[in-house]
Amino acid sequence: MVSDRVRRNLASEFRSSVLAKLGVVLVLLVVFVAIFAPFVAPHNPTTQDLDNAERPPLGIVQTEERTTSEMVDGEVQTVTETVTIRPDAAHPLGTDGLGRDMLSRVIYGARTSLIVGVLGTVLAATVGVPIGLIAGYYRGRIDDGLMRFADVSLAFPSLVLAIALIGLWGRASVAVPDPFVAAGFAQEMPATFVLPGTVIVVVGVVNWVWFARIARGEALSLRDQEYVKAARALGADDGRIIAGHVLPNAITPIIVLGTVQVAAIILLESSLSFLGFSGTTLSWGFDISQGRDYVSSGQWWIAGMPGLAIMVAVIGINLIGDWLRDALDPGIQGEGGA
Amino acid sequence: MSQGRFIAKRVLQGVGVVWGVVSIVFLLRFITPGSAINAVAPLDADRETRQAIARELGLNQPLHVQYGDYLVSLLQGDMGFSYVRGQEVTTLVFSKLPATVELAVAATVVAIGLSIPLGVVSATRRNQPVDWLATLFSLAGISTPNFWLGIMLILVLAVQLGIFQTSGRAVAAVEVAAAVVGPASFVKTLRLWLAHITLPAVALGTYFTALVTRLTRSGMLDELGKPYVRAARAKGLPEAVVRYKHALRNTLIPVITVLGLQLGTLIGGAVITEAVFSWPGLGTLVIRSINLRDWPVLQGSLIVIGTSFVLVNILVDVVYSSLDPRVVND
Amino acid sequence: MPDVSAPALDDDVLVAVRDLSTRFFTEEGQINAVEGVSFEVRDNEVVGIVGESGSGKSVTALSLIDLVDSPGEITGGEVWYRDAELAEEFAGSDAVVGDHVDLRRVPATVRRSLRGSSFSMIFQDPMSSLNPSVTVGEQIAEAVEVQRRAKGNPRRTRSRTQGYGLGRLLVDAVLPSRSYTDEESHARAIKLLEQVGIPDPAERADEYPHQFSGGMLQRAMIAQALAGEPDVLIADEPTTALDVTIQAQILDILRELQESGETSVVMITHDLGVIARMCDRVGVMYAGEIVERGRLADVFDDPIHPYTQGLLGSVPDLEAPAARLQPIEGNVPSLLDREMPEGCYFADRCPKAMADCRQPVPEYDGDASEEHAVQCVLADREYDPAVALDDTDGVIDDTDSVTDDTDGATDDGVVSGE
């Protein structure tokens, strides 16, 4: 499926591009952290510790004016004192308003983002690619129908469609046992992990059109290739031709689109959880929505840290997408929005 | 084919897409959990209300009759009634639309105004510090969630430096324009407007600025390497004419296509940006109507959003066809 | 680079290229696309440069008009151009000898200002050499307009915008307006289209390149190149992309131009038939060097360099078919600096290579006349089989297989410069 020429192009582009290397490092980091979250996270991300709430990240000392009133001799006396909150080495990225460790929350948030990003993309591709291939291969009515439908679904912005669907369907989620904790490791960590099922289905549903469009375009040009014609002349049935000849040659742009889509879906998922349309509370977007209330009082890190985490993950994936695009040059640019 | 006929064709296609949008929204009633009445009636409606609604919507009628009635009432500008709010949906939705349009236009103006010059400079000074900075900015820009960017902008520029307002919309752009001739102080109105709209427009526009910068840069590099550019230089054209009249024009053609395709992202972005800045537009309306289970308003908003998308794309195609003669002639 | 002291040039020499070198600095290494090339263009003369693809002939043409793009760079040599006004402007500097000015020693802005009016160029593929989204008439009118503005305000000719506002340019980029050119230039553009034999020129001027046939487009390209009334018209493979019948028409147009005394022509081609039909003088290029040059008759009737002989031999001759058809074995070398052999680059493919061919070969005068120059030891002495270059050493060794491997890569580098 991947020819030597493709492999050579990938390798030489990788060697010459600093950004491609950076992308791979960032993505590997996020993937590692997401998989081994129970071992990497210093605390249970859901454990509250109100005595340790609103602690700033390392290197930052927060001062806060606290006003207390008490009755002294029948009169109200207001005492204003400046409280200094120092960082705690146990919480390198600080703690949130309920004293939960930000670093651990960011680490567990990576799991949600990656799972939704990858499963959502796989779902979108599984739906979109076959439909696109069939439409492009047979052309005619099926193709017209698909293109008209694609035009209509593009008229609904992904985010709007997603929140509408979640609003109508409700937000179901599944608690999946954490395999490491179940196997007896890291017992202090959460025993289950919440998989936001509706969100995964919805982001898949709203993004399949991009895959269908790409697959259709490829199938349209591939159906007239000599080897496809030859296979047809030899009497191979259409299903076999599409699976055996068209799909393998259309795979490159689909992979590049898939990469970009993972990034787009991570952004979409964070938007959904920010707006409260996710089924889980362990998510970067959700933490940002929590942290938003603290922005005016100065605890910027509660919203800031998860946002930086999103940037790291999405920049990494986009860099890999650029690398693949430069090396494979499938001629798609800027398609596949969030 | 003349340009007029091309536009007429696109408008016809657009009507078809709007019809599709309307039909899908109609079908949304039936994928709502429970009966289709749930899609219209408020959650706490009593039996009589529900029956009244069912009669009014003709839910006991065959599907195609319901669909026909629905289309007819839409054509009359009637998008239903919000029992939750006790208001006509059409009135409600169109009262919120201007704020969203204003925000989206402001973001687009910011994006196009910054990105095209940045992309051109980046391409013509390839591998120089300006290019690196632009590349870095555009990479970060397409990778930053706009709601988070909005919060960080509020933190620094509104809360800490106090230059801008954290939320809300005090005056409409129309009022700023009116202040030029009206009794209100123009400068004061303008300032008030800028204080409110700047941050949401920047938060919403950053993704597009970054995206278009990338597209312009790579497109410009592509075009500058083409034979017609060399031929244009060979005939003695000044470099500025070669770059802007020839290369930039051809660069913009695909950029415009992508912008049209990404318009949905802009509208989706507006929804969430409005949520961050409490901007009283369609986005805020959509989210509130979902939380209130006010389905008629949600459906009306979806129709308006889908239709605006189609309208703007027709506009984009008109611009496109005047830039690229091949579209019209082929 | 040897410092060639200023030579005395004949009055009828319009352009004299001396020892010109152009290199491409690519990731694979340095490519010597043009190496020490010298030739002359006289008034009202057609000079042909012939060679296989990848021989550097197109880069030579681009170097002449200073249009070599990065990563290419003209690294040495002189281009003497006869222009009394320029000579006066730079009088006293070593860039001037008589009425001739060495363009390599004047500022780049001056070289740029000569494009269109002194040198202009037509390209191999007219379809990609015209902007697809601008009408043909407008593109020709631009070429007229540049010169019109230059005459109107000579001091601004060398600036980046030629005094044309950047803001207006940006508007031009978006609107299909004609604000850069004026009506006068458009009228002239239509005249030019008529001159090159395009029917209904007024209507066709408003059409876009994709509405033209290949032959008509090449005519339009010629019209565009003539807009500035250039002294030298460089034609880079002007007929390669065209049908045979249309090739003849295009060549006729170029021939008429030259006969009308308006311009000299530098004809770059791989087609010996075109050379034989069109040229007064010819240079044969191989691996970045001009290996043999002189009057057409001298070179074609009495070729000395075995490469020229081989090239002429590979042209099918209708009178005596099989007898003269003998393609040259082997490939054009890679032109990668680190892979270039010492001495003659053709030695590995040469049927008459001798031991001396591994030494640097000077340029000898040919027998026929002093204007016939050959870069081959055979101009100096007879072939002696006793000192023949060892086959196993020369033809089938390691460097040769490396050469074959990198051929594709080199083609990319050089062809993009063509």
Side-chain angles (χ1 to χ4, degrees):
Chain A
M1 222 139 79
V2 177
S3 71
D4 281 350
R5 191 183 58 85
V6 167
R7 214 167 290 148
R8 257 205 319 273
N9 284 351
L10 280 174
S12 78
E13 183 66 32
F14 185 75
R15 267 195 307 275
S16 64
S17 164
V18 184
L19 291 178
K21 289 180 192 126
L22 178 66
V24 169
V25 168
L26 292 180
V27 168
L28 283 180
L29 176 78
V30 175
V31 169
F32 175 83
V33 155
I35 293 177
F36 298 104
F39 302 110
V40 185
H43 302 271
N44 184 320
T46 56
T47 307
Q48 300 181 5
D49 178 3
L50 291 173
D51 295 337
N52 255 324
E54 296 175 25
R55 226 168 248 294
L58 283 183
I60 307 238
V61 175
Q62 190 84 359
T63 52
E64 216 176 77
E65 306 245 311
R66 278 193 193 159
T67 311
T68 45
S69 314
E70 46 185 317
M71 295 283 278
V72 180
D73 300 334
E75 279 177 41
V76 180
Q77 280 199 347
T78 340
V79 185
T80 306
E81 51 176 351
T82 308
V83 186
T84 310
I85 309 174
R86 297 187 180 282
D88 178 352
H91 304 287
L93 298 187
T95 60
D96 70 3
L98 299 171
R100 295 176 295 195
D101 180 49
M102 284 311 301
L103 177 60
S104 305
R105 292 191 69 80
V106 163
I107 287 170
Y108 268 86
R111 275 191 163 185
T112 310
S113 285
L114 273 191
I115 288 176
V116 175
V118 172
L119 289 185
T121 304
V122 168
L123 182 65
T126 317
V127 176
V129 171
I131 294 180
L133 288 178
I134 289 168
Y137 184 79
Y138 289 107
R139 298 202 281 211
R141 284 229 183 113
I142 306 177
D143 188 32
D144 289 344
L146 172 81
M147 288 321 285
R148 291 296 81 77
F149 186 75
D151 285 347
V152 174
S153 32
L154 280 176
F156 296 109
S158 315
L159 180 67
V160 175
L161 195 57
I163 57 178
L165 288 176
I166 294 175
L168 289 168
W169 290 348
R171 50 212 89 162
S173 50
V174 199
V176 183
D178 187 307
F180 296 113
V181 179
F185 300 102
Q187 289 304 307
E188 71 281 11
M189 291 298 161
T192 56
F193 179 78
V194 178
L195 205 62
T198 314
V199 172
I200 293 173
V201 172
V202 164
V203 297
V205 165
V206 301
N207 280 305
W208 69 272
V209 175
W210 299 106
F211 285 94
R213 284 169 61 106
I214 287 282
R216 169 192 177 262
E218 291 297 309
L220 265 183
S221 65
L222 287 169
R223 74 188 297 278
D224 293 327
Q225 297 284 318
E226 290 306 320
Y227 58 85
V228 176
K229 284 185 186 160
R232 214 178 299 149
L234 287 173
D237 67 85
D238 289 345
R240 194 160 294 181
I241 294 175
I242 292 176
H245 295 285
V246 179
L247 177 61
N249 289 292
I251 204 78
T252 304
I254 292 173
I255 288 175
V256 174
L257 176 67
T259 315
V260 182
Q261 279 289 312
V262 173
I265 291 181
I266 287 179
L267 286 175
L268 180 58
E269 186 277 332
S270 69
S271 305
L272 288 174
S273 1
F274 175 78
L275 292 174
F277 288 96
S278 168
T280 176
T281 52
L282 256 186
S283 150
W284 291 334
F286 179 82
D287 280 358
I288 293 174
S289 75
Q290 301 291 298
R292 187 183 162 195
D293 300 335
Y294 292 88
V295 160
S296 54
S297 54
Q299 288 84 5
W300 54 267
W301 59 91
I302 303 176
M305 292 303 172
L308 288 176
I310 297 175
M311 275 184 81
V312 166
V314 176
I315 285 180
I317 297 168
N318 279 329
L319 285 174
I320 289 185
D322 288 350
W323 164 43
L324 295 180
R325 182 150 51 207
D326 290 346
L328 309 175
D329 189 34
I332 47 168
Q333 238 173 15
E335 285 207 13
Chain B
M1 190 171 21
S2 71
Q3 199 178 0
R5 280 190 59 189
F6 171 78
I7 293 169
K9 196 179 135 200
R10 284 297 293 114
V11 169
L12 269 180
Q13 281 176 354
V15 171
V17 175
V18 169
W19 175 61
V21 164
V22 166
S23 306
I24 286 184
V25 170
F26 174 76
L27 289 174
L28 273 184
R29 288 182 185 184
F30 301 98
I31 61 163
T32 320
S35 134
I37 298 173
N38 288 346
V40 181
L43 214 53
D44 54 354
D46 55 24
R47 222 179 116 81
E48 274 111 72
T49 321
R50 291 173 70 90
Q51 278 172 348
I53 293 169
R55 259 197 312 281
E56 194 189 313
L57 290 178
L59 287 179
N60 40 5
Q61 307 264 11
L63 196 63
H64 65 270
V65 177
Q66 289 185 36
Y67 182 57
D69 290 350
Y70 173 74
L71 287 185
V72 168
S73 54
L74 272 185
L75 281 176
Q76 292 165 343
D78 175 11
M79 295 199 288
F81 189 77
S82 161
Y83 291 90
V84 177
R85 296 174 192 243
Q87 257 184 305
E88 288 289 336
V89 173
T90 312
T91 322
L92 189 60
V93 168
F94 280 96
S95 71
K96 301 289 183 184
L97 186 62
T100 301
V101 170
E102 187 180 313
L103 178 60
V105 169
T108 311
V109 169
V110 170
I112 292 179
L114 288 177
S115 59
I116 291 175
L118 198 57
V120 169
V121 168
S122 194
T124 50
R125 290 171 215 266
R126 197 182 182 179
N127 289 333
Q128 291 175 25
V130 184
D131 182 27
W132 299 332
L133 279 178
T135 305
L136 244 133
F137 158 77
S138 54
L139 181 65
I142 60 161
S143 308
T144 310
N146 55 0
F147 59 92
W148 181 73
L149 181 65
I151 292 171
M152 293 297 122
L153 288 173
I154 290 176
L155 171 76
V156 178
L157 297 175
V159 173
Q160 298 198 332
L161 301 177
I163 305 173
F164 299 102
Q165 295 298 316
T166 55
S167 66
R169 177 181 184 234
V171 285
V174 190
E175 295 171 55
V176 180
V180 177
V181 288
S185 156
F186 173 67
V187 177
K188 213 170 146 191
T189 321
L190 181 68
R191 253 204 213 144
L192 196 60
W193 182 70
L194 283 176
H196 286 87
I197 203 169
T198 306
L199 293 190
V202 169
L204 179 56
T206 298
Y207 174 82
F208 288 91
T209 314
L211 180 72
V212 178
T213 303
R214 273 164 74 98
L215 293 175
T216 307
R217 177 182 182 270
S218 65
M220 196 71 182
L221 284 175
D222 238 34
E223 293 299 327
L224 286 174
K226 285 189 175 168
Y228 76 82
V229 165
R230 172 179 288 165
R233 286 180 181 144
K235 67 188 178 192
L237 280 190
E239 188 60 22
V241 178
V242 174
R243 274 183 198 168
Y244 300 111
K245 182 172 176 185
H246 287 278
L248 179 59
R249 184 194 177 104
N250 287 325
T251 301
L252 290 182
I253 291 170
V255 168
I256 285 169
T257 317
V258 174
L259 272 185
L261 276 172
Q262 291 281 348
L263 195 71
T265 319
L266 180 75
I267 299 173
V271 170
I272 201 163
T273 308
E274 286 180 13
V276 171
F277 290 92
S278 310
W279 189 261
L282 264 188
T284 313
L285 185 69
V286 165
I287 291 169
R288 191 161 300 158
S289 62
I290 290 174
N291 289 334
L292 292 172
R293 305 189 157 266
D294 190 355
W295 304 133
V297 172
L298 175 64
Q299 291 170 2
S301 309
L302 284 177
I303 289 175
V304 169
I305 288 173
T307 308
S308 332
F309 179 90
V310 173
L311 281 179
V312 179
N313 259 293
I314 292 175
L315 266 180
V316 165
D317 280 343
V318 171
V319 175
Y320 190 101
S321 68
S322 69
L323 276 181
D324 190 351
R326 286 163 296 186
V327 178
V328 176
N329 284 307
D330 283 352
Chain C
M1 187 52 47
D3 186 22
V4 184
S5 57
L9 291 165
D10 291 344
D11 280 346
D12 68 338
V13 172
L14 188 56
V15 178
V17 174
R18 295 269 180 266
D19 225 4
L20 191 69
S21 292
T22 302
R23 311 204 187 296
F24 285 80
F25 300 94
T26 69
E27 277 173 34
E28 284 81 32
Q30 175 188 325
I31 292 167
N32 302 337
V34 175
E35 215 180 330
V37 159
S38 303
F39 63 92
E40 283 165 9
V41 182
R42 286 164 202 269
D43 284 329
N44 205 24
E45 194 178 60
V46 181
V47 175
I49 293 179
V50 65
E52 294 165 275
S53 65
S55 61
K57 55 189 191 303
S58 285
V59 181
T60 305
L62 292 171
S63 305
L64 196 57
I65 194 170
D66 197 28
L67 271 180
V68 179
D69 284 332
S70 166
E73 205 181 300
I74 298 170
T75 52
E78 298 160 4
V79 178
W80 294 93
Y81 170 61
R82 195 189 64 212
D83 184 324
E85 274 177 44
L86 263 190
E88 202 171 314
E89 183 180 343
F90 291 94
S93 77
D94 59 357
V96 177
V97 173
D99 273 353
H100 288 86
V101 180
D102 178 12
L103 298 181
R104 299 308 314 163
R105 274 183 262 194
V106 300
T109 51
V110 175
R111 288 198 291 275
R112 203 159 59 215
S113 70
L114 295 176
R115 286 181 204 150
S117 59
S118 298
F119 299 87
S120 74
M121 188 156 175
I122 58 179
F123 297 88
Q124 176 171 350
D125 181 7
M127 190 56 92
S128 62
S129 299
L130 284 164
N131 187 337
S133 60
V134 177
T135 60
V136 171
E138 168 74 5
Q139 297 192 56
I140 297 170
E142 282 177 345
V144 180
E145 184 73 20
V146 173
Q147 303 312 328
R148 200 183 66 84
R149 284 168 189 265
K151 278 188 200 110
N153 196 342
R155 295 173 78 193
R156 273 182 163 174
T157 310
R158 291 169 191 171
S159 84
R160 214 168 65 93
T161 58
Q162 230 192 22
Y164 191 68
L166 198 61
R168 283 163 67 196
L169 272 176
L170 289 171
V171 173
D172 283 8
V174 183
L175 301 176
S177 66
R178 290 173 159 186
S179 49
Y180 178 71
T181 54
D182 72 353
E183 284 307 313
E184 194 187 314
S185 302
H186 271 273
R188 172 99 179 104
I190 293 170
K191 280 250 164 58
L192 285 162
L193 282 173
E194 193 174 7
Q195 190 188 333
V196 294
I198 290 183
D200 303 325
E203 284 92 70
R204 306 231 62 183
D206 287 334
E207 292 182 5
Y208 291 90
H210 71 274
Q211 291 164 293
F212 275 60
S213 70
M216 285 294 147
L217 264 194
Q218 194 58 291
R219 285 169 194 253
M221 280 284 294
I222 294 173
Q224 177 176 277
L226 294 178
E229 292 164 6
D231 294 337
V232 186
L233 176 65
I234 302 163
D236 184 7
E237 303 266 17
T239 58
T240 308
L242 305 175
D243 292 342
V244 182
T245 46
I246 295 163
Q247 286 187 8
Q249 294 168 11
I250 296 292
L251 291 178
D252 285 343
I253 293 173
L254 290 173
R255 185 87 225 176
E256 277 166 30
L257 266 176
Q258 179 263 332
E259 279 169 358
S260 68
E262 284 173 30
T263 175
S264 300
V265 178
V266 175
M267 175 74 71
I268 311 285
T269 181
H270 68 277
D271 187 340
L272 288 163
V274 172
I275 297 281
R277 181 168 168 179
M278 299 284 296
C279 298
D280 305 303
R281 223 172 266 275
V282 62
V284 178
M285 271 197 96
Y286 182 79
E289 296 180 326
I290 289 189
V291 292
E292 183 158 6
R293 64 189 163 103
R295 291 209 186 93
L296 182 72
D298 294 345
V299 174
F300 271 38
D301 295 344
D302 186 19
I304 294 170
H305 199 291
Y307 179 69
T308 315
Q309 291 170 352
L311 210 56
L312 289 166
S314 63
V315 178
D317 186 331
L318 289 177
E319 288 163 28
R324 286 183 64 182
L325 199 62
Q326 34 172 268
I328 309 165
E329 280 177 32
N331 291 312
V332 182
S334 74
L335 301 187
L336 261 179
D337 186 56
R338 56 182 144 82
E339 287 172 10
M340 295 305 278
E342 276 285 299
C344 174
Y345 298 153
F346 189 60
D348 289 342
R349 291 169 77 185
C350 184
K352 294 179 183 173
M354 294 184 284
D356 283 355
C357 296
R358 289 286 184 227
Q359 309 295 325
V361 182
E363 198 173 66
Y364 297 98
D365 286 342
D367 302 326
S369 78
E370 59 181 52
E371 284 180 51
H372 187 181
V374 190
Q375 195 165 336
C376 178
V377 292
L378 291 176
D380 189 43
R381 63 202 94 134
E382 286 294 307
Y383 176 60
D384 181 2
V387 290
L389 203 57
D390 192 359
D391 259 2
T392 52
D393 175 51
V395 182
I396 319 160
D397 66 357
D398 286 350
T399 48
D400 220 49
S401 62
V402 169
T403 302
D404 285 350
D405 262 2
T406 52
D407 214 43
T410 315
D411 273 354
D412 285 349
V414 179
V415 168
S416 71
E418 279 191 30

